Amino acid sequence: MKCGMVGWEFPPFRAGGLGVHCLELTRGLLSRGVTIDFYMPKTADRIKSPGEKMRILQVPVLKDVGIYEREKINLKDFFDAVHYYNLRTVDLFSEESEDIDLIHCHDWITVKAGIELKRRSGKPLIFTVHSTEYDRSANFFPMKWVIKIEEEGMENADLIIAVSHRTKKLIHDRYEIPDDKIKVVENGVDFGKFWWHRKRNYSQKNCKVLFLGRVTRQKGPDFFVRVAKRIVEMGTQGCDFLVCGAGEMIEGCKSLAGELGIADRIKFTGEVSEEELISAYYNTDIYLLPALSEPFGITVIEAMATGLPTIISKDTGVGESLKHCLECDYWDIDEMADYIITLLNHRILRETMGRNGAREVMRFTWGRTCDETLRVYQEALS
Amino acid sequence: MICFYFQVHQPIRLKRTRSWDRAADTYGHFDMDKNKEIFDRVSDKCYFPTTSLIQDLMDEHKEFKVSFSFSGIWIEQCKLFRPELLDLFKDLCKRKEVELLGETYYHSLSGLYDEQDEFAEQIELHRKTISEVFGRSPEVFRNTELIYDNRLVRTVKEKGFKGILTEGTERILGWRSPNYLYKPFHLDGISVLLKNYKLSDDVAFRFSNWEWGEYPLTADKYVDWLSKAPGDCVNLFMDYETFGEHQWKETGIFEFLKRLPGYALEKNLSFSTPSELVENFEPVGTIDVPLAISWADIERDVSAWLDNEMQQECFNEIRDLKRKVKEKGDDDLIHFWRLLQTSDHFYYMSTKWYEGDQDIHTYFNPYRSPYMGFINYVNALADLKSKLN
């Protein structure tokens, strides 16, 4: 089987989880006997193709646009780059990948090319939805024209892969796509990157609460700050807060923390390296993700894998598959504050949740993701 | 001999309690709206129709007998929410064919405490309540969820009971049959009645299960099984809520119960209350139970309440507050402390249902997760502690 995959990010060139997903997915599919042509934007340093079975084809994007630096690039340039990339991918693909069996696209940024390639070749189109415009905007002025592209992609796709049942429901409800066309394939985590860390110590008195992820409206960092305020306000001692990650809301969150008078209790790291990210999990004691709209939430699995007791909003997709974490509404500041205070006061609760959670998430392997994706390919081809 | 025993109990459930919440009165931490709602629902579906039916059956068949055990906190809620139901029960319990059993007032795990004085006090409180409400004095004891071990049976004996009920599990019986009376290890003067869990659970759990080979279970078929059971007695112990609540009216459970006494008497089977069994039969052997057993889950031990560390920590903390609570001497606080000893709070913290036995644990659980059960409990406990200091 040969798959023509249109991607956007590929490590080390990435801004979010999509690149990791593509790397793990292509690696897994290769070992399962699938041959892949992987398309991605041209980068300053060329990425070498890993071998004969997988070719990485880099498509020129508009020059001087750093597409992976989301904070620096202006939106118009970004959208132009996406548009140009999709057009040029179609050209190159038609020359290079005539012999493919199916086309696989990821999110709206690549699906335009997929639609056109399907029209030209008649091959089945698989469309993975990692997040929708409704998620990214947290329902706060979603861009109509992006939704239109997503809609077009979903309608043209032979099968759609959703990263959670929550996303499947959203695709069904908001884009009116029939249920049987949408397959749920959950993301995985590379647990190998945690192997060298010591065992977690649950017995220390003081606790640090962690927010880890892009500091963007969708993930609810401002709610995190407000929860911190509530906890400080209750006179709770020995509880500090860490916001790990970069994003457009970081300055806003810093000044909010200042206004609320808790700047001394909450630390913002800004952009961090992969190693610092992993250390952040191990140097903190409670993980809180008050996301407004999170299609899956790989960081939740990572946090739990490191033994962190975890609190997530009901709008976090992966929550549907988890039992050993606490869930509440993202706006329910009192509820989240109480969970944290109770965790802080009870080592047993931290330890029971942490240990059970670490065991529970072990099933989220990329191997499973690849097996299930391959099953979707086979269904599309049959 | 057929011996029916029904457990009548509803816990007083906690309401969502945050770590900073402080209650103003005894029921401050308890969700009395929710408790009333559940009590009303079960009253309408089970308590009223089943009790009336048993009245009618006793009018029709003079030989029909049953026994009940009401937890003290069930009676407390009944007085609050449905006093007319208590009148119905009082009426029924005037008959000598109905026996009332003793237990702890709070349906607690106090029988498992090292120091048995709290257990004894809760038994005494229950005895007082039964005597006030029904004018009767229990002679046979059944502990919370049939929990039993070599130590607590001594306390029960000392409190003057001549019999005790527990689970007829193979763990204590080996090859022996539950259909006889036994005596406890190194203790005379009290008989042990064992639940025939196969025949009891056929009604309590399997009655409406269409995947069960014997479905549908009819009264004549069941009576046939009872008549073929060897031994002196068949002890059918179950939740009273089996009738109309666990097994809905639509499953035909009431028709089953209605026809059962008639068929049984036709087959020359007879009915007996627990104390009559103790009077009429001699123990045939000894049972030795160093580690506590119960009627819960497939393990039939106390792991439904004390399996994980969260449960164990709460169990130890509430038990160890005894001295402080007694020193304070405030009746409301003593009541609050004891309400927190109810076994159901610990059941809600069980993490066992992730592995198996899922249906039964989620069915009875007001919380989404065992962690919520723990959070709520320790927060209520924190308030109690702050009031004691």
Side-chain angles (χ1 to χ4, degrees):
Chain A
M1 187 191 303
K2 185 166 182 184
C3 169
M5 193 180 291
V6 188
W8 181 255
E9 303 173 355
F10 201 80
F13 300 100
R14 66 190 195 91
L18 183 56
V20 179
H21 182 97
C22 287
L23 175 68
E24 298 285 354
L25 183 64
T26 50
R27 193 189 272 167
L29 289 173
L30 276 176
S31 72
R32 283 161 180 75
V34 181
T35 311
I36 299 164
D37 281 353
F38 186 82
Y39 288 80
M40 68 176 291
K42 194 166 195 162
T43 48
D45 300 306
R46 269 192 77 84
I47 302 185
K48 255 182 64 195
S49 296
E52 259 177 52
K53 294 280 185 189
M54 176 163 167
R55 292 195 301 162
I56 293 181
L57 296 118
Q58 296 202 294
V59 183
V61 197
L62 294 178
K63 55 175 182 287
D64 298 333
V65 181
I67 54 168
Y68 300 120
E69 295 166 70
R70 231 178 263 197
E71 269 72 59
K72 291 182 193 146
I73 187 170
N74 82 49
L75 272 181
K76 188 176 175 310
D77 286 350
F78 181 76
F79 295 141
D80 284 348
V82 170
H83 182 64
Y84 190 74
Y85 170 68
N86 276 272
L87 289 177
R88 296 298 303 270
T89 298
V90 172
D91 295 340
L92 189 64
F93 200 105
S94 305
E95 285 168 26
E96 293 280 341
S97 306
E98 274 178 354
D99 55 339
I100 51 108
D101 298 303
L102 53 81
I103 308 152
H104 189 169
C105 289
H106 298 272
D107 277 357
W108 73 275
I109 32 179
T110 69
V111 83
K112 269 282 199 194
I115 297 166
E116 176 58 17
L117 288 167
K118 180 188 170 174
R119 195 188 66 77
R120 292 191 187 180
S121 65
K123 303 290 183 191
L125 172 65
I126 314 290
F127 180 25
T128 297
V129 180
H130 298 270
S131 76
T132 67
E133 178 60 15
Y134 292 107
D135 297 306
R136 288 182 297 270
S137 64
N139 284 304
F140 195 74
F141 299 116
M143 290 177 279
K144 291 253 167 52
W145 63 272
V146 174
I147 292 171
K148 195 101 184 104
I149 294 175
E150 289 174 335
E151 211 166 58
E152 209 184 322
M154 291 170 191
E155 275 162 15
N156 280 282
D158 293 86
L159 288 173
I160 298 164
I161 294 176
V163 292
S164 62
H165 288 278
R166 179 184 185 275
T167 298
K168 174 171 175 166
K169 189 172 182 305
L170 194 153
I171 294 171
H172 174 81
D173 294 350
R174 308 295 283 265
Y175 298 87
E176 297 177 3
I177 303 295
D179 264 340
D180 53 0
K181 199 172 146 177
I182 315 164
K183 308 289 167 191
V184 175
V185 177
E186 290 176 317
N187 280 312
V189 163
D190 172 15
F191 297 109
K193 63 185 177 189
F194 302 120
W195 71 269
W196 48 274
H197 271 275
R198 60 185 155 61
K199 276 226 151 77
R200 181 174 291 280
N201 173 17
Y202 290 98
S203 54
Q204 71 269 30
K205 281 255 176 302
N206 296 341
C207 280
K208 217 174 228 149
V209 186
L210 174 68
F211 174 97
L212 190 149
R214 272 186 298 118
V215 185
T216 174
R217 176 184 296 279
Q218 183 187 353
K219 312 258 179 190
D222 45 337
F223 288 94
F224 182 86
V225 177
R226 289 183 190 282
V227 171
K229 165 67 179 170
R230 186 81 178 99
I231 291 167
V232 173
E233 193 177 79
M234 297 310 300
T236 315
Q237 293 301 314
C239 188
D240 289 314
F241 302 85
L242 180 69
V243 176
C244 186
E248 87 279 353
M249 275 180 80
I250 198 156
E251 290 310 318
C253 285
K254 277 181 191 169
S255 42
L256 178 63
E259 273 166 41
L260 298 174
I262 54 163
D264 57 329
R265 300 285 289 268
I266 187 163
K267 204 182 135 197
F268 294 84
T269 64
E271 186 78 53
V272 291
S273 70
E274 178 81 8
E275 286 80 55
E276 288 171 303
L277 214 96
I278 293 170
S279 300
Y281 287 126
Y282 281 95
N283 294 328
T284 52
D285 307 281
I286 297 164
Y287 178 79
L288 170 63
L289 179 66
L292 276 65
S293 190
E294 174 65 59
F296 184 77
I298 291 183
T299 56
V300 177
I301 302 295
E302 291 186 338
M304 288 174 75
T306 68
L308 276 175
T310 295
I311 305 161
I312 59 174
S313 70
K314 290 175 183 166
D315 295 288
T316 304
V318 71
E320 70 200 21
S321 304
L322 295 173
K323 284 189 158 168
H324 292 282
C325 64
L326 292 166
E327 266 187 334
C328 67
D329 293 302
Y330 66 84
W331 44 260
D332 200 341
I333 306 293
D334 270 7
E335 192 76 352
M336 290 184 275
D338 179 54
Y339 291 170
I340 289 169
I341 293 173
T342 311
L343 278 162
L344 179 75
N345 291 335
H346 296 273
R347 179 191 63 83
I348 286 290
L349 182 60
R350 295 199 298 275
E351 189 162 345
T352 311
M353 283 187 69
R355 291 196 194 288
N356 286 335
R359 186 169 45 79
E360 181 179 29
V361 298
M362 282 304 144
R363 69 171 194 279
F364 289 92
T365 61
W366 285 112
R368 186 178 74 141
T369 309
C370 296
D371 283 338
E372 287 171 12
T373 305
L374 192 56
R375 225 169 290 146
V376 176
Y377 285 1
Q378 282 155 350
E379 188 177 333
L381 288 170
S382 65
Chain B
M1 288 281 182
I2 301 167
C3 176
F4 268 117
Y5 149 69
F6 303 124
Q7 166 173 322
V8 188
H9 165 66
Q10 285 295 330
I12 301 186
R13 298 164 194 82
L14 287 163
K15 72 174 173 212
R16 177 74 187 97
T17 300
R18 304 234 165 85
S19 41
W20 54 83
D21 287 341
R22 295 291 170 259
D25 53 64
T26 320
Y27 291 136
H29 284 303
F30 298 92
D31 193 341
M32 295 318 267
D33 293 337
K34 175 93 174 263
N35 286 317
K36 177 169 170 33
E37 186 191 310
I38 293 172
F39 202 92
D40 279 340
R41 190 190 73 212
V42 183
S43 294
D44 295 335
K45 287 174 74 179
C46 163
Y47 300 147
F48 277 110
T50 316
T51 311
S52 305
L53 177 58
I54 290 175
Q55 286 264 32
D56 294 345
L57 287 170
M58 287 190 163
D59 286 339
E60 198 184 331
H61 310 283
K62 297 289 169 230
E63 302 87 344
F64 184 50
K65 293 167 185 171
V66 297
S67 62
F68 289 103
S69 147
F70 301 98
S71 71
I73 53 176
W74 184 89
I75 294 172
E76 194 171 319
Q77 291 186 86
C78 196
K79 280 180 185 165
L80 276 175
F81 304 143
R82 299 299 280 264
E84 74 276 23
L85 175 63
L86 202 55
D87 292 337
L88 183 66
F89 269 115
K90 278 182 192 168
D91 210 30
L92 179 71
C93 296
K94 278 183 195 139
R95 298 171 186 254
K96 67 176 191 328
E97 291 80 16
V98 176
E99 180 172 348
L100 298 182
L101 308 185
E103 64 168 295
T104 60
Y105 183 97
Y106 293 90
H107 198 87
S108 71
L109 300 174
S110 56
L112 299 170
Y113 299 170
D114 292 329
E115 296 171 12
Q116 295 268 291
D117 55 337
E118 174 63 14
F119 183 45
E121 276 186 45
Q122 291 191 17
I123 294 172
E124 206 46 57
L125 273 173
H126 183 258
R127 198 199 298 265
K128 207 168 135 243
T129 306
I130 293 297
S131 139
E132 276 168 16
V133 174
F134 299 102
R136 302 183 60 164
S137 181
E139 298 179 314
V140 173
F141 189 78
R142 84 92 232 208
N143 196 23
T144 307
E145 313 292 338
L146 300 188
I147 293 172
Y148 177 100
D149 66 20
N150 288 344
R151 181 175 54 194
L152 72 81
V153 69
R154 288 183 177 271
T155 313
V156 172
K157 160 86 197 312
E158 280 161 22
K159 295 307 288 180
F161 291 97
K162 62 182 185 186
I164 182 168
L165 275 53
T166 188
E167 176 67 277
T169 166
E170 286 84 0
R171 277 186 41 216
I172 55 160
L173 281 171
W175 56 269
R176 298 175 295 178
S177 160
N179 301 346
Y180 294 92
L181 266 58
Y182 290 85
K183 70 188 247 351
F185 188 66
H186 282 310
L187 187 67
D188 291 319
I190 183 165
S191 298
V192 184
L193 280 66
L194 297 174
K195 174 185 156 196
N196 184 314
Y197 74 79
K198 160 82 181 51
L199 286 165
S200 300
D201 294 351
D202 283 343
V203 180
F205 296 126
R206 289 182 281 273
F207 183 79
S208 61
N209 179 1
W210 61 82
E211 287 171 359
W212 180 38
E214 297 293 344
Y215 180 87
L217 183 63
T218 55
D220 55 340
K221 177 157 76 177
Y222 189 66
V223 165
D224 191 45
W225 294 349
L226 293 178
S227 69
K228 284 177 181 151
D232 294 335
C233 54
V234 181
N235 296 325
L236 303 172
F237 302 166
M238 58 195 80
D239 280 345
Y240 197 42
E241 290 84 3
T242 299
F243 304 96
E245 169 69 18
H246 305 340
Q247 309 292 346
W248 295 353
K249 180 175 92 203
E250 291 74 12
T251 64
I253 191 75
F254 288 118
E255 280 68 27
F256 175 84
L257 179 60
K258 198 166 158 184
R259 284 173 178 74
L260 196 130
Y263 286 143
L265 294 166
E266 269 175 37
K267 282 247 182 195
N268 288 323
L269 287 166
S270 56
F271 293 92
S272 181
T273 64
S275 63
E276 285 173 353
L277 287 181
V278 174
E279 299 282 304
N280 297 328
F281 294 98
E282 283 299 314
V284 298
T286 301
I287 60 156
D288 180 13
V289 189
L291 297 173
I293 57 165
S294 80
W295 73 0
D297 298 349
I298 44 168
E299 294 89 347
R300 315 274 170 183
D301 58 14
V302 294
S303 60
W305 307 278
L306 295 171
D307 182 52
N308 67 42
E309 287 184 277
M310 299 191 296
Q311 295 170 310
Q312 290 160 12
E313 177 166 280
C314 292
F315 177 81
N316 290 339
E317 285 216 18
I318 197 76
R319 180 196 60 204
D320 294 344
L321 280 178
K322 181 178 76 182
R323 195 152 299 115
K324 273 195 165 178
V325 174
K326 293 283 170 69
E327 271 168 19
K328 194 87 175 177
D330 178 323
D331 285 346
D332 278 348
L333 283 185
I334 292 176
H335 191 46
F336 180 30
W337 171 57
R338 286 178 167 157
L339 284 171
L340 288 178
Q341 293 183 46
T342 302
S343 66
D344 302 75
H345 302 308
F346 299 89
Y347 192 82
Y348 303 148
M349 297 173 207
S350 172
T351 42
K352 268 204 322 180
W353 49 271
Y354 289 101
E355 268 61 69
D357 267 14
Q358 183 157 359
D359 294 349
I360 195 88
H361 274 265
T362 30
Y363 181 88
F364 293 106
N365 201 330
Y367 300 108
R368 290 191 306 277
S369 96
Y371 305 114
M372 287 309 299
F374 177 85
I375 290 172
N376 238 13
Y377 188 85
V378 292
N379 287 342
L381 190 63
D383 187 22
L384 174 62
K385 285 195 221 161
S386 78
K387 289 186 162 79
L388 291 174
N389 284 331

